[in-house]
Amino acid sequence: MLPDDALEAASALLRRARYVVALTGAGISTGSGIPDFRSPRSGLWERHDPAEVASIYGFRHNPARFYNWIRPLARTILEAEPNPAHFALARMERRGLLRSIITQNIDLLHSRAGSQTVHEVHGHLRTVTCIHCFREYDCRPYLVALLETGAVPSCPACGNALKPNVILFGEQLPARALSAARRDAARCDVMLVVGSSLEVYPAADLPAFAHRNGAKLIFVNLMETALDSLAQVVIHGDAVDVLPHLADALGGDSE
Ligand code: NAD
């Protein structure tokens, strides 16, 4: 399908839908300067193996190594601003055209763009929790200190390591966010999947789950994914260009 035809087909599906849910991945935030995991050259995966360094076992064994790995990502996330793709989804929600966003991202950019219903299935960098006494704190001051001095965040109450509330390999996904995501994936009649390689489970199962429940799928991604054949519409393009275009075509208000 030619890009213009694909955009028109996507707009038509969204216009007719009664319950639209978006599933987003790291690709929606590359336009904000945050590298994804798997894009060639820029992907974080290319330089490290997050399955090793970003596992809960790795963290418990050596929090300093984890913080050393996440430091550049934390810096870009702290400095990043939402981009037009985040704003387009927020605009669609305000206009009643989008029920929720299920995001694999930890960068808080959907909330900062004004989206209200965001299911953060891989956690977030909003808070940190002590791995020993489970006290919770605001994440930002600890990240700022990490960037400024290299200090590994430690619990003011008991001195043990503080872990950002992001889901590491080997950890359970947050039950409430995951069940809300599954509920919306079951209910939706259109799922708009943006900037995800669909390689990280169980989030990557949600489009197929929605499809089995009768939903139509629209994919917006720079590269092919293994699930492209399930989608009614596949747009291989930059989310920063495509999503504002879709929101405009649906009649969203302007920013
Ligand atoms: P991924 O890195 O596996 O895949 C990103 C996909 O987005 C790729 O297929 C790429 O082609 C596409 N993409 C990149 N830039 C794009 C753009 N401008 N427009 C459209 N598509 C674009 O990401 P994933 O599927 O989300 O899985 C990786 C895991 O990494 C997730 O668990 C996520 O939590 C984590 N992660 C999050 C962030 C973040 O919070 N911003 C950043 C890196 C990794």
Side-chain angles (χ1 to χ4, degrees):
M1 205 181 273
L2 294 169
D4 279 353
D5 293 346
L7 283 167
E8 185 42 50
S11 309
L13 274 183
L14 290 166
R15 240 180 260 122
R16 284 198 301 269
R18 55 176 180 76
Y19 203 111
V20 180
V21 168
L23 170 66
T24 67
I28 197 167
S29 295
T30 56
S32 296
I34 303 172
D36 63 10
F37 271 169
R38 289 181 185 78
S39 284
R41 290 182 302 283
S42 66
L44 291 167
W45 200 276
E46 299 247 302
R47 281 169 273 145
H48 298 275
D49 180 2
E52 190 189 318
V53 72
S55 73
I56 185 62
Y57 313 104
F59 182 88
R60 285 181 179 280
H61 182 66
N62 191 348
R65 188 178 66 153
F66 166 83
Y67 278 110
N68 192 37
W69 169 74
I70 206 170
R71 213 169 150 176
L73 181 61
R75 183 182 300 282
T76 52
I77 287 179
L78 281 187
E79 288 170 357
E81 295 294 334
N83 68 53
H86 299 105
F87 285 121
L89 291 183
R91 193 151 40 114
M92 286 169 63
E93 185 188 23
R94 275 203 300 282
R95 299 278 302 186
L97 305 167
L98 179 72
R99 298 296 182 114
S100 69
I101 299 173
I102 302 165
T103 190
Q104 301 168 78
N105 295 345
I106 57 169
D107 58 27
L108 314 176
L109 291 181
H110 286 303
S111 306
R112 290 183 52 208
S115 290
Q116 298 294 313
T117 306
V118 184
H119 309 308
E120 296 169 318
V121 292
H122 290 172
H124 50 76
L125 277 178
R126 199 173 287 110
T127 49
V128 285
T129 299
C130 174
I131 57 169
H132 182 71
C133 71
F134 303 110
R135 284 184 174 83
E136 209 174 63
Y137 306 92
D138 186 12
C139 188
R140 193 177 175 90
Y142 291 100
L143 290 186
V144 170
L146 172 75
L147 297 180
E148 282 174 0
T149 67
V152 172
S154 65
C155 179
C158 75
N160 282 284
L162 292 171
K163 188 184 88 58
N165 285 340
V166 299
I167 305 305
L168 302 183
F169 290 96
E171 284 192 294
Q172 300 277 347
L173 267 55
R176 198 181 300 167
L178 188 59
S179 74
R182 287 215 173 102
R183 185 200 60 217
D184 273 355
R187 276 188 194 160
C188 69
D189 56 353
V190 172
M191 181 178 273
L192 176 60
V193 181
V194 186
S196 176
S197 63
L198 300 176
E199 287 183 22
V200 181
Y201 290 85
D205 265 338
L206 293 172
F209 177 65
H211 183 259
R212 282 197 299 279
N213 282 282
K216 306 245 189 312
L217 306 178
I218 301 170
F219 286 1
V220 178
N221 211 66
L222 284 179
M223 301 188 329
E224 285 179 14
T225 75
L227 295 187
D228 278 8
S229 61
L230 287 186
Q232 263 63 35
V233 182
V234 177
I235 303 175
H236 287 139
D238 191 326
V240 167
D241 301 325
V242 175
L243 291 201
H245 183 102
L246 283 179
D248 288 348
L250 295 170
D253 58 14
S254 56
E255 293 301 330

